[in-house]
Amino acid sequence: MDAVFHNLLLGFQVALAPKMLAYGFIGCLVGTLVGVLPGIGPVGAVSLLLPVTFGLDPTGALILMAGIYYGAMYGGSTTSILMRIPGEAASVMTCLDGYAMARQGRAGAALGISAFGSYIAGTAGVIGLMLVAPPLARFALRFGPPESFALLALALVALGYMNSGSTAKALAMMIAGLMLGMIGIDPITGYYRFTFGISALADGIGIVPVAVGLFGVAEVLASAAQATPPDVIRAPKLRDLFPSRAEWRASAAPIGRGTVLGFLIGVLPGPGHIISTFVSYAVERKMSKRPERFGHGAIEGVAGPESANNAATCGALIPMLSLGLPSSPTIAVIIAGLMIHGLTPGPLLAREHPDLFWGFIASMYIGNVMLLIMNLPLVGLFVNVLRVPYGILYPIILMFCVLGVYADNHSVVDVGIMIVMGVAGYALRAFGFEPAPVIVGVVLAPMVELAFRQSLTLSGGDYAIFVTRPIAAVLLAAAAIVLASAAISGIRGATRAGTARAPVEEPHA
Amino acid sequence: MGADRLSGVGLVVFSLVFAWQSRQLPIGTSDAPGPAYVPLVLAAALFGLGVLVASGRGAPVVAILAEHREAGGRPLAILAAMIFTAVALEPLGYRLTVALFLVFLLAVVERRGAAPSIAVAVALAWSSFWLLDTTLRVTLPRGLLGF
């Protein structure tokens, strides 16, 4: 432990140098501003600004890239709360209750708890990164294709079960999402699947057009379908920007749970920062004494996912720093940036370049403080958006939807997909389906399929591989228990509904 | 007819269409699953869930449709404007398309007055282009006329 604190001291000496502070500040600021733009998520932000780092020294480059990364994660929640446009997939769950809070005049509290929750989770994540990086990274290495598939199956089933409405409907939406995720070139054989001759679909359906369509466009269509348009929201006063004592009490546990969940999920390969938000939201809804508030402005629905995605950002850095493995596309871009500077991230990085490794860790502490200080005044600025009458605001929202989706991939087909998803989201709402599971499916589809097919190839077609490997067997058993309990509660619910209906139906018989 | 019944039938049809499309691809074997293997498993699962959803009742479809019919043509006008944007974005360019899109929604659908609508539309289209294309180097389409 002494060595850790000695190294951390060294890190702070590096990170507190005026030049490094400036890089951290610029990274956080640019990341936040770019993250606010829908469609340009952390990958886009880091990729766009990667060439800027070429002229810097390696430590400065890493601090700048990391600042952009978690600044973009931070900024993504703003449009979700104010406009119901998820800046990227990790902000989807924030849309649900954050936007509902904004419509109730509590945008300040939503943005405030998002900023504080992100700060707390980010700081706790850095401590976790510092203390438990090597053992967690070794555990993550034990996940082969069968374990990954079992974990994904558990996540899918659990998320379906923890949904507020019908489990069957949620699972159906998730499978529909998985099916959409199958579109494009098959990663193993190279076959074109379900592309209908449209070459732009070869890369598959992007998460951004699906998320922006199902949430942003569908929300505008649903509001337009109302006889009276939504009211202009009163912009909150400065004191309202801070969550009240009751809101803090309600958010404390979700922030804690979101931090732990996000950190652990972030370590595993895949889009941990996205999955962690879905898991955190589902857990909070399930644990709540009044789950019916979720989707209608429950602050726990903002606090949990926002903390989870920031903690996952730290978790995702563990495989990169200790093993040199990218756990997400953004991390892959950061690794590429480091390699351009002649550095190879991995187990030797901390030993050979302690100033860079620990300077980076220390810069994350400082970066989290910077983000909090920077974001609280910006909250006051952003909520003014709500003063704009809805008749003027929604065309601007749609413009940002088009802009964000096009900018993500430079594809007009993506804009078309967004429109189709907007109509689908509108119809799904009318028929009592939740759109969020569709996004879970689209996000996880490539991983689920690859893990499943690789497992079968590995075992020579023997399905027993999923139950003979201990980690996979435990995870699948847990999935089976969740599925069985969903079926039992469904049957009980149907029986209760039948009993309650019986006396009413008798007179008509 | 109940909404659940109709949506359940919709899911069943979607699963069948998906399975039908999968027939063009090799299924493979269990030791070397082909590109149609997982899609067919998913289609079968969705078929089952569709049947399950269809066994529920839900609100009458007629009531849902009536509720949405009251809104008139506003959602349809928005949808038409969005389709125009998708079609015109590359030939007309980002700035011109977005400006026309905003003018249509603000002046025609929302009746906010022609002059302020045009001013707002042009300002937003040009400033967002400047921010993304000029400053952040995210290439946006310029169209045949250079807009």
Side-chain angles (χ1 to χ4, degrees), chain B residues 24-72:
Chain B
Q24 300 162 353
L25 301 162
I27 298 175
T29 55
S30 59
D31 60 334
Y37 198 96
V38 175
L40 281 172
V41 172
L42 291 175
L46 189 65
F47 184 91
L49 285 166
V51 171
L52 204 62
V53 171
S55 65
R57 292 172 184 223
V61 176
V62 183
I64 294 173
L65 290 177
E67 192 186 316
H68 289 265
R69 204 175 294 136
E70 277 174 22

mmCIF file of all heavy atoms in Angstrom, chain B residues 24-72:
data_model
loop_
_atom_site.group_PDB
_atom_site.id
_atom_site.type_symbol
_atom_site.label_atom_id
_atom_site.label_comp_id
_atom_site.label_asym_id
_atom_site.label_seq_id
_atom_site.Cartn_x
_atom_site.Cartn_y
_atom_site.Cartn_z
ATOM 1 N N GLN B 24 -31.946 -17.727 -47.383
ATOM 2 C CA GLN B 24 -30.943 -17.527 -48.442
ATOM 3 C C GLN B 24 -29.518 -17.757 -47.928
ATOM 4 O O GLN B 24 -28.580 -17.783 -48.700
ATOM 5 C CB GLN B 24 -31.034 -16.090 -48.975
ATOM 6 C CG GLN B 24 -32.383 -15.755 -49.572
ATOM 7 C CD GLN B 24 -32.613 -14.252 -49.686
ATOM 8 O OE1 GLN B 24 -31.826 -13.455 -49.210
ATOM 9 N NE2 GLN B 24 -33.711 -13.887 -50.326
ATOM 10 N N LEU B 25 -29.373 -17.871 -46.610
ATOM 11 C CA LEU B 25 -28.028 -17.981 -46.025
ATOM 12 C C LEU B 25 -27.791 -19.397 -45.507
ATOM 13 O O LEU B 25 -28.734 -20.064 -45.071
ATOM 14 C CB LEU B 25 -27.902 -16.994 -44.848
ATOM 15 C CG LEU B 25 -28.131 -15.524 -45.183
ATOM 16 C CD1 LEU B 25 -28.414 -14.730 -43.918
ATOM 17 C CD2 LEU B 25 -26.921 -14.959 -45.895
ATOM 18 N N PRO B 26 -26.528 -19.842 -45.508
ATOM 19 C CA PRO B 26 -26.267 -21.189 -44.976
ATOM 20 C C PRO B 26 -26.478 -21.255 -43.455
ATOM 21 O O PRO B 26 -26.045 -20.350 -42.737
ATOM 22 C CB PRO B 26 -24.798 -21.430 -45.308
ATOM 23 C CG PRO B 26 -24.286 -20.203 -45.946
ATOM 24 C CD PRO B 26 -25.344 -19.182 -46.033
ATOM 25 N N ILE B 27 -27.144 -22.317 -43.014
ATOM 26 C CA ILE B 27 -27.376 -22.479 -41.572
ATOM 27 C C ILE B 27 -26.116 -23.013 -40.898
ATOM 28 O O ILE B 27 -25.814 -22.681 -39.765
ATOM 29 C CB ILE B 27 -28.556 -23.453 -41.315
ATOM 30 C CG1 ILE B 27 -29.832 -22.860 -41.917
ATOM 31 C CG2 ILE B 27 -28.765 -23.692 -39.819
ATOM 32 C CD1 ILE B 27 -31.022 -23.777 -41.845
ATOM 33 N N GLY B 28 -25.385 -23.851 -41.617
ATOM 34 C CA GLY B 28 -24.191 -24.471 -41.040
ATOM 35 C C GLY B 28 -24.571 -25.647 -40.160
ATOM 36 O O GLY B 28 -25.709 -26.137 -40.198
ATOM 37 N N THR B 29 -23.619 -26.065 -39.356
ATOM 38 C CA THR B 29 -23.879 -27.170 -38.426
ATOM 39 C C THR B 29 -23.591 -26.677 -37.015
ATOM 40 O O THR B 29 -23.065 -25.577 -36.851
ATOM 41 C CB THR B 29 -22.934 -28.348 -38.741
ATOM 42 O OG1 THR B 29 -21.578 -27.854 -38.708
ATOM 43 C CG2 THR B 29 -23.217 -28.945 -40.102
ATOM 44 N N SER B 30 -23.903 -27.518 -36.023
ATOM 45 C CA SER B 30 -23.702 -27.013 -34.655
ATOM 46 C C SER B 30 -22.217 -26.826 -34.326
ATOM 47 O O SER B 30 -21.875 -26.020 -33.467
ATOM 48 C CB SER B 30 -24.376 -27.936 -33.638
ATOM 49 O OG SER B 30 -23.842 -29.229 -33.751
ATOM 50 N N ASP B 31 -21.313 -27.555 -35.023
ATOM 51 C CA ASP B 31 -19.889 -27.317 -34.735
ATOM 52 C C ASP B 31 -19.311 -26.188 -35.589
ATOM 53 O O ASP B 31 -18.211 -25.704 -35.301
ATOM 54 C CB ASP B 31 -19.064 -28.602 -34.888
ATOM 55 C CG ASP B 31 -19.138 -29.162 -36.286
ATOM 56 O OD1 ASP B 31 -20.151 -28.882 -36.971
ATOM 57 O OD2 ASP B 31 -18.210 -29.864 -36.716
ATOM 58 N N ALA B 32 -20.046 -25.780 -36.597
ATOM 59 C CA ALA B 32 -19.630 -24.619 -37.394
ATOM 60 C C ALA B 32 -20.887 -23.858 -37.809
ATOM 61 O O ALA B 32 -21.312 -23.914 -38.967
ATOM 62 C CB ALA B 32 -18.838 -25.068 -38.625
ATOM 63 N N PRO B 33 -21.473 -23.135 -36.854
ATOM 64 C CA PRO B 33 -22.742 -22.455 -37.166
ATOM 65 C C PRO B 33 -22.570 -21.425 -38.283
ATOM 66 O O PRO B 33 -21.604 -20.660 -38.265
ATOM 67 C CB PRO B 33 -23.115 -21.767 -35.853
ATOM 68 C CG PRO B 33 -22.246 -22.371 -34.800
ATOM 69 C CD PRO B 33 -21.015 -22.859 -35.489
ATOM 70 N N GLY B 34 -23.492 -21.429 -39.212
ATOM 71 C CA GLY B 34 -23.421 -20.508 -40.349
ATOM 72 C C GLY B 34 -24.090 -19.192 -40.025
ATOM 73 O O GLY B 34 -24.597 -18.989 -38.917
ATOM 74 N N PRO B 35 -24.123 -18.287 -41.025
ATOM 75 C CA PRO B 35 -24.683 -16.949 -40.772
ATOM 76 C C PRO B 35 -26.191 -16.936 -40.493
ATOM 77 O O PRO B 35 -26.704 -15.947 -39.975
ATOM 78 C CB PRO B 35 -24.363 -16.190 -42.060
ATOM 79 C CG PRO B 35 -24.005 -17.209 -43.067
ATOM 80 C CD PRO B 35 -23.491 -18.402 -42.349
ATOM 81 N N ALA B 36 -26.897 -18.035 -40.839
ATOM 82 C CA ALA B 36 -28.349 -18.053 -40.579
ATOM 83 C C ALA B 36 -28.690 -18.723 -39.249
ATOM 84 O O ALA B 36 -29.845 -18.721 -38.832
ATOM 85 C CB ALA B 36 -29.062 -18.786 -41.721
ATOM 86 N N TYR B 37 -27.705 -19.296 -38.593
ATOM 87 C CA TYR B 37 -27.961 -20.113 -37.391
ATOM 88 C C TYR B 37 -28.617 -19.283 -36.276
ATOM 89 O O TYR B 37 -29.733 -19.578 -35.833
ATOM 90 C CB TYR B 37 -26.630 -20.699 -36.908
ATOM 91 C CG TYR B 37 -26.745 -21.884 -35.974
ATOM 92 C CD1 TYR B 37 -26.661 -23.183 -36.457
ATOM 93 C CD2 TYR B 37 -26.927 -21.714 -34.621
ATOM 94 C CE1 TYR B 37 -26.745 -24.271 -35.602
ATOM 95 C CE2 TYR B 37 -27.019 -22.788 -33.760
ATOM 96 C CZ TYR B 37 -26.919 -24.073 -34.257
ATOM 97 O OH TYR B 37 -27.002 -25.152 -33.410
ATOM 98 N N VAL B 38 -27.916 -18.239 -35.864
ATOM 99 C CA VAL B 38 -28.440 -17.405 -34.762
ATOM 100 C C VAL B 38 -29.717 -16.663 -35.181
ATOM 101 O O VAL B 38 -30.686 -16.639 -34.410
ATOM 102 C CB VAL B 38 -27.345 -16.451 -34.239
ATOM 103 C CG1 VAL B 38 -27.891 -15.502 -33.176
ATOM 104 C CG2 VAL B 38 -26.189 -17.252 -33.650
ATOM 105 N N PRO B 39 -29.777 -16.075 -36.398
ATOM 106 C CA PRO B 39 -31.029 -15.426 -36.796
ATOM 107 C C PRO B 39 -32.244 -16.354 -36.716
ATOM 108 O O PRO B 39 -33.321 -15.946 -36.292
ATOM 109 C CB PRO B 39 -30.761 -15.006 -38.251
ATOM 110 C CG PRO B 39 -29.299 -14.771 -38.293
ATOM 111 C CD PRO B 39 -28.699 -15.791 -37.380
ATOM 112 N N LEU B 40 -32.052 -17.634 -37.089
ATOM 113 C CA LEU B 40 -33.193 -18.565 -37.015
ATOM 114 C C LEU B 40 -33.583 -18.865 -35.564
ATOM 115 O O LEU B 40 -34.775 -18.955 -35.251
ATOM 116 C CB LEU B 40 -32.862 -19.866 -37.758
ATOM 117 C CG LEU B 40 -32.993 -19.764 -39.279
ATOM 118 C CD1 LEU B 40 -32.463 -21.029 -39.962
ATOM 119 C CD2 LEU B 40 -34.446 -19.507 -39.704
ATOM 120 N N VAL B 41 -32.584 -18.988 -34.704
ATOM 121 C CA VAL B 41 -32.884 -19.200 -33.278
ATOM 122 C C VAL B 41 -33.675 -18.006 -32.739
ATOM 123 O O VAL B 41 -34.680 -18.160 -32.028
ATOM 124 C CB VAL B 41 -31.573 -19.401 -32.463
ATOM 125 C CG1 VAL B 41 -31.846 -19.426 -30.973
ATOM 126 C CG2 VAL B 41 -30.857 -20.677 -32.894
ATOM 127 N N LEU B 42 -33.234 -16.808 -33.116
ATOM 128 C CA LEU B 42 -33.915 -15.593 -32.655
ATOM 129 C C LEU B 42 -35.335 -15.506 -33.205
ATOM 130 O O LEU B 42 -36.269 -15.126 -32.494
ATOM 131 C CB LEU B 42 -33.121 -14.346 -33.078
ATOM 132 C CG LEU B 42 -31.779 -14.130 -32.383
ATOM 133 C CD1 LEU B 42 -31.050 -12.940 -32.997
ATOM 134 C CD2 LEU B 42 -31.951 -13.917 -30.882
ATOM 135 N N ALA B 43 -35.486 -15.863 -34.490
ATOM 136 C CA ALA B 43 -36.820 -15.820 -35.103
ATOM 137 C C ALA B 43 -37.761 -16.777 -34.377
ATOM 138 O O ALA B 43 -38.928 -16.443 -34.109
ATOM 139 C CB ALA B 43 -36.730 -16.171 -36.587
ATOM 140 N N ALA B 44 -37.254 -17.955 -34.022
ATOM 141 C CA ALA B 44 -38.086 -18.924 -33.295
ATOM 142 C C ALA B 44 -38.479 -18.373 -31.924
ATOM 143 O O ALA B 44 -39.641 -18.487 -31.497
ATOM 144 C CB ALA B 44 -37.324 -20.245 -33.133
ATOM 145 N N ALA B 45 -37.521 -17.743 -31.235
ATOM 146 C CA ALA B 45 -37.810 -17.175 -29.912
ATOM 147 C C ALA B 45 -38.836 -16.051 -30.024
ATOM 148 O O ALA B 45 -39.771 -15.962 -29.212
ATOM 149 C CB ALA B 45 -36.525 -16.655 -29.282
ATOM 150 N N LEU B 46 -38.683 -15.202 -31.059
ATOM 151 C CA LEU B 46 -39.632 -14.085 -31.216
ATOM 152 C C LEU B 46 -41.022 -14.606 -31.568
ATOM 153 O O LEU B 46 -42.030 -14.054 -31.114
ATOM 154 C CB LEU B 46 -39.136 -13.109 -32.290
ATOM 155 C CG LEU B 46 -39.940 -11.811 -32.373
ATOM 156 C CD1 LEU B 46 -39.797 -10.981 -31.105
ATOM 157 C CD2 LEU B 46 -39.523 -10.955 -33.563
ATOM 158 N N PHE B 47 -41.064 -15.682 -32.358
ATOM 159 C CA PHE B 47 -42.355 -16.293 -32.710
ATOM 160 C C PHE B 47 -43.083 -16.703 -31.417
ATOM 161 O O PHE B 47 -44.257 -16.380 -31.217
ATOM 162 C CB PHE B 47 -42.122 -17.510 -33.611
ATOM 163 C CG PHE B 47 -43.394 -18.148 -34.109
ATOM 164 C CD1 PHE B 47 -43.961 -17.743 -35.312
ATOM 165 C CD2 PHE B 47 -44.032 -19.131 -33.371
ATOM 166 C CE1 PHE B 47 -45.139 -18.323 -35.773
ATOM 167 C CE2 PHE B 47 -45.215 -19.713 -33.814
ATOM 168 C CZ PHE B 47 -45.771 -19.310 -35.023
ATOM 169 N N GLY B 48 -42.349 -17.405 -30.530
ATOM 170 C CA GLY B 48 -42.939 -17.859 -29.262
ATOM 171 C C GLY B 48 -43.417 -16.695 -28.409
ATOM 172 O O GLY B 48 -44.531 -16.707 -27.875
ATOM 173 N N LEU B 49 -42.575 -15.666 -28.318
ATOM 174 C CA LEU B 49 -42.954 -14.504 -27.503
ATOM 175 C C LEU B 49 -44.134 -13.755 -28.130
ATOM 176 O O LEU B 49 -44.990 -13.227 -27.421
ATOM 177 C CB LEU B 49 -41.753 -13.564 -27.353
ATOM 178 C CG LEU B 49 -40.680 -14.064 -26.384
ATOM 179 C CD1 LEU B 49 -39.390 -13.280 -26.553
ATOM 180 C CD2 LEU B 49 -41.164 -13.968 -24.936
ATOM 181 N N GLY B 50 -44.174 -13.725 -29.473
ATOM 182 C CA GLY B 50 -45.298 -13.093 -30.168
ATOM 183 C C GLY B 50 -46.605 -13.778 -29.824
ATOM 184 O O GLY B 50 -47.618 -13.121 -29.549
ATOM 185 N N VAL B 51 -46.573 -15.104 -29.800
ATOM 186 C CA VAL B 51 -47.775 -15.879 -29.446
ATOM 187 C C VAL B 51 -48.183 -15.550 -28.006
ATOM 188 O O VAL B 51 -49.367 -15.337 -27.700
ATOM 189 C CB VAL B 51 -47.518 -17.398 -29.624
ATOM 190 C CG1 VAL B 51 -48.665 -18.223 -29.062
ATOM 191 C CG2 VAL B 51 -47.290 -17.716 -31.102
ATOM 192 N N LEU B 52 -47.183 -15.461 -27.123
ATOM 193 C CA LEU B 52 -47.444 -15.154 -25.714
ATOM 194 C C LEU B 52 -48.069 -13.761 -25.564
ATOM 195 O O LEU B 52 -49.040 -13.575 -24.833
ATOM 196 C CB LEU B 52 -46.113 -15.213 -24.951
ATOM 197 C CG LEU B 52 -46.170 -15.475 -23.459
ATOM 198 C CD1 LEU B 52 -46.786 -16.832 -23.182
ATOM 199 C CD2 LEU B 52 -44.770 -15.419 -22.863
ATOM 200 N N VAL B 53 -47.504 -12.791 -26.280
ATOM 201 C CA VAL B 53 -48.041 -11.422 -26.207
ATOM 202 C C VAL B 53 -49.462 -11.396 -26.771
ATOM 203 O O VAL B 53 -50.353 -10.751 -26.209
ATOM 204 C CB VAL B 53 -47.119 -10.434 -26.977
ATOM 205 C CG1 VAL B 53 -47.762 -9.061 -27.116
ATOM 206 C CG2 VAL B 53 -45.768 -10.299 -26.274
ATOM 207 N N ALA B 54 -49.673 -12.133 -27.861
ATOM 208 C CA ALA B 54 -50.998 -12.138 -28.497
ATOM 209 C C ALA B 54 -52.063 -12.754 -27.596
ATOM 210 O O ALA B 54 -53.260 -12.495 -27.777
ATOM 211 C CB ALA B 54 -50.934 -12.899 -29.828
ATOM 212 N N SER B 55 -51.658 -13.557 -26.623
ATOM 213 C CA SER B 55 -52.652 -14.167 -25.734
ATOM 214 C C SER B 55 -53.180 -13.160 -24.717
ATOM 215 O O SER B 55 -54.175 -13.405 -24.042
ATOM 216 C CB SER B 55 -52.042 -15.376 -25.014
ATOM 217 O OG SER B 55 -51.020 -14.922 -24.165
ATOM 218 N N GLY B 56 -52.541 -11.973 -24.610
ATOM 219 C CA GLY B 56 -53.045 -10.935 -23.705
ATOM 220 C C GLY B 56 -54.149 -10.126 -24.378
ATOM 221 O O GLY B 56 -54.530 -10.408 -25.513
ATOM 222 N N ARG B 57 -54.635 -9.115 -23.660
ATOM 223 C CA ARG B 57 -55.734 -8.326 -24.217
ATOM 224 C C ARG B 57 -55.276 -6.918 -24.604
ATOM 225 O O ARG B 57 -55.156 -6.591 -25.758
ATOM 226 C CB ARG B 57 -56.880 -8.224 -23.206
ATOM 227 C CG ARG B 57 -57.556 -9.553 -22.978
ATOM 228 C CD ARG B 57 -58.542 -9.439 -21.853
ATOM 229 N NE ARG B 57 -59.119 -10.772 -21.596
ATOM 230 C CZ ARG B 57 -60.374 -10.999 -21.375
ATOM 231 N NH1 ARG B 57 -61.227 -10.006 -21.360
ATOM 232 N NH2 ARG B 57 -60.825 -12.213 -21.153
ATOM 233 N N GLY B 58 -55.019 -6.083 -23.601
ATOM 234 C CA GLY B 58 -54.618 -4.699 -23.891
ATOM 235 C C GLY B 58 -55.803 -3.843 -24.286
ATOM 236 O O GLY B 58 -56.921 -4.350 -24.466
ATOM 237 N N ALA B 59 -55.536 -2.548 -24.422
ATOM 238 C CA ALA B 59 -56.608 -1.608 -24.781
ATOM 239 C C ALA B 59 -57.099 -1.902 -26.196
ATOM 240 O O ALA B 59 -56.327 -2.393 -27.023
ATOM 241 C CB ALA B 59 -56.070 -0.193 -24.702
ATOM 242 N N PRO B 60 -58.385 -1.586 -26.496
ATOM 243 C CA PRO B 60 -58.872 -1.818 -27.865
ATOM 244 C C PRO B 60 -58.100 -0.963 -28.875
ATOM 245 O O PRO B 60 -57.845 0.215 -28.615
ATOM 246 C CB PRO B 60 -60.335 -1.380 -27.802
ATOM 247 C CG PRO B 60 -60.676 -1.313 -26.357
ATOM 248 C CD PRO B 60 -59.413 -1.064 -25.604
ATOM 249 N N VAL B 61 -57.765 -1.575 -29.990
ATOM 250 C CA VAL B 61 -56.989 -0.861 -31.024
ATOM 251 C C VAL B 61 -57.762 0.359 -31.527
ATOM 252 O O VAL B 61 -57.174 1.421 -31.778
ATOM 253 C CB VAL B 61 -56.666 -1.818 -32.203
ATOM 254 C CG1 VAL B 61 -55.965 -1.083 -33.320
ATOM 255 C CG2 VAL B 61 -55.810 -2.978 -31.723
ATOM 256 N N VAL B 62 -59.077 0.214 -31.628
ATOM 257 C CA VAL B 62 -59.913 1.311 -32.141
ATOM 258 C C VAL B 62 -59.732 2.548 -31.265
ATOM 259 O O VAL B 62 -59.604 3.680 -31.764
ATOM 260 C CB VAL B 62 -61.408 0.876 -32.133
ATOM 261 C CG1 VAL B 62 -62.292 1.953 -32.737
ATOM 262 C CG2 VAL B 62 -61.563 -0.439 -32.884
ATOM 263 N N ALA B 63 -59.676 2.324 -29.943
ATOM 264 C CA ALA B 63 -59.521 3.463 -29.018
ATOM 265 C C ALA B 63 -58.165 4.137 -29.214
ATOM 266 O O ALA B 63 -58.077 5.372 -29.219
ATOM 267 C CB ALA B 63 -59.660 2.978 -27.585
ATOM 268 N N ILE B 64 -57.118 3.315 -29.404
ATOM 269 C CA ILE B 64 -55.767 3.885 -29.599
ATOM 270 C C ILE B 64 -55.735 4.713 -30.884
ATOM 271 O O ILE B 64 -55.234 5.832 -30.910
ATOM 272 C CB ILE B 64 -54.705 2.760 -29.654
ATOM 273 C CG1 ILE B 64 -54.617 2.064 -28.293
ATOM 274 C CG2 ILE B 64 -53.332 3.304 -30.046
ATOM 275 C CD1 ILE B 64 -53.732 0.841 -28.267
ATOM 276 N N LEU B 65 -56.301 4.145 -31.949
ATOM 277 C CA LEU B 65 -56.288 4.845 -33.238
ATOM 278 C C LEU B 65 -57.075 6.150 -33.153
ATOM 279 O O LEU B 65 -56.645 7.179 -33.676
ATOM 280 C CB LEU B 65 -56.856 3.948 -34.340
ATOM 281 C CG LEU B 65 -55.976 2.748 -34.725
ATOM 282 C CD1 LEU B 65 -56.675 1.903 -35.780
ATOM 283 C CD2 LEU B 65 -54.614 3.209 -35.240
ATOM 284 N N ALA B 66 -58.223 6.111 -32.461
ATOM 285 C CA ALA B 66 -59.047 7.318 -32.342
ATOM 286 C C ALA B 66 -58.287 8.412 -31.599
ATOM 287 O O ALA B 66 -58.310 9.582 -31.990
ATOM 288 C CB ALA B 66 -60.337 6.983 -31.598
ATOM 289 N N GLU B 67 -57.574 8.002 -30.556
ATOM 290 C CA GLU B 67 -56.800 8.963 -29.758
ATOM 291 C C GLU B 67 -55.756 9.662 -30.624
ATOM 292 O O GLU B 67 -55.544 10.866 -30.516
ATOM 293 C CB GLU B 67 -56.113 8.174 -28.637
ATOM 294 C CG GLU B 67 -55.489 9.023 -27.550
ATOM 295 C CD GLU B 67 -54.716 8.147 -26.579
ATOM 296 O OE1 GLU B 67 -55.233 7.070 -26.178
ATOM 297 O OE2 GLU B 67 -53.590 8.523 -26.260
ATOM 298 N N HIS B 68 -55.122 8.899 -31.506
ATOM 299 C CA HIS B 68 -54.051 9.477 -32.329
ATOM 300 C C HIS B 68 -54.596 10.215 -33.545
ATOM 301 O O HIS B 68 -53.918 11.077 -34.090
ATOM 302 C CB HIS B 68 -53.057 8.388 -32.736
ATOM 303 C CG HIS B 68 -52.232 7.934 -31.562
ATOM 304 N ND1 HIS B 68 -51.000 8.457 -31.290
ATOM 305 C CD2 HIS B 68 -52.506 7.053 -30.567
ATOM 306 C CE1 HIS B 68 -50.535 7.909 -30.174
ATOM 307 N NE2 HIS B 68 -51.435 7.043 -29.725
ATOM 308 N N ARG B 69 -55.838 9.879 -33.945
ATOM 309 C CA ARG B 69 -56.434 10.556 -35.095
ATOM 310 C C ARG B 69 -56.768 12.009 -34.735
ATOM 311 O O ARG B 69 -56.733 12.899 -35.563
ATOM 312 C CB ARG B 69 -57.692 9.804 -35.546
ATOM 313 C CG ARG B 69 -58.015 10.061 -37.017
ATOM 314 C CD ARG B 69 -59.183 9.210 -37.474
ATOM 315 N NE ARG B 69 -58.878 7.786 -37.465
ATOM 316 C CZ ARG B 69 -59.692 6.836 -37.001
ATOM 317 N NH1 ARG B 69 -60.871 7.152 -36.501
ATOM 318 N NH2 ARG B 69 -59.353 5.577 -37.033
ATOM 319 N N GLU B 70 -57.068 12.243 -33.424
ATOM 320 C CA GLU B 70 -57.442 13.587 -32.967
ATOM 321 C C GLU B 70 -56.329 14.605 -33.215
ATOM 322 O O GLU B 70 -56.579 15.787 -33.344
ATOM 323 C CB GLU B 70 -57.748 13.553 -31.461
ATOM 324 C CG GLU B 70 -59.159 13.103 -31.148
ATOM 325 C CD GLU B 70 -59.369 12.946 -29.645
ATOM 326 O OE1 GLU B 70 -58.617 13.565 -28.874
ATOM 327 O OE2 GLU B 70 -60.279 12.198 -29.264
ATOM 328 N N ALA B 71 -55.087 14.125 -33.213
ATOM 329 C CA ALA B 71 -53.949 15.041 -33.368
ATOM 330 C C ALA B 71 -53.900 15.666 -34.756
ATOM 331 O O ALA B 71 -53.200 16.652 -34.974
ATOM 332 C CB ALA B 71 -52.664 14.284 -33.117
ATOM 333 N N GLY B 72 -54.664 15.129 -35.694
ATOM 334 C CA GLY B 72 -54.682 15.685 -37.045
ATOM 335 C C GLY B 72 -53.407 15.365 -37.801
ATOM 336 O O GLY B 72 -52.740 14.366 -37.548
#
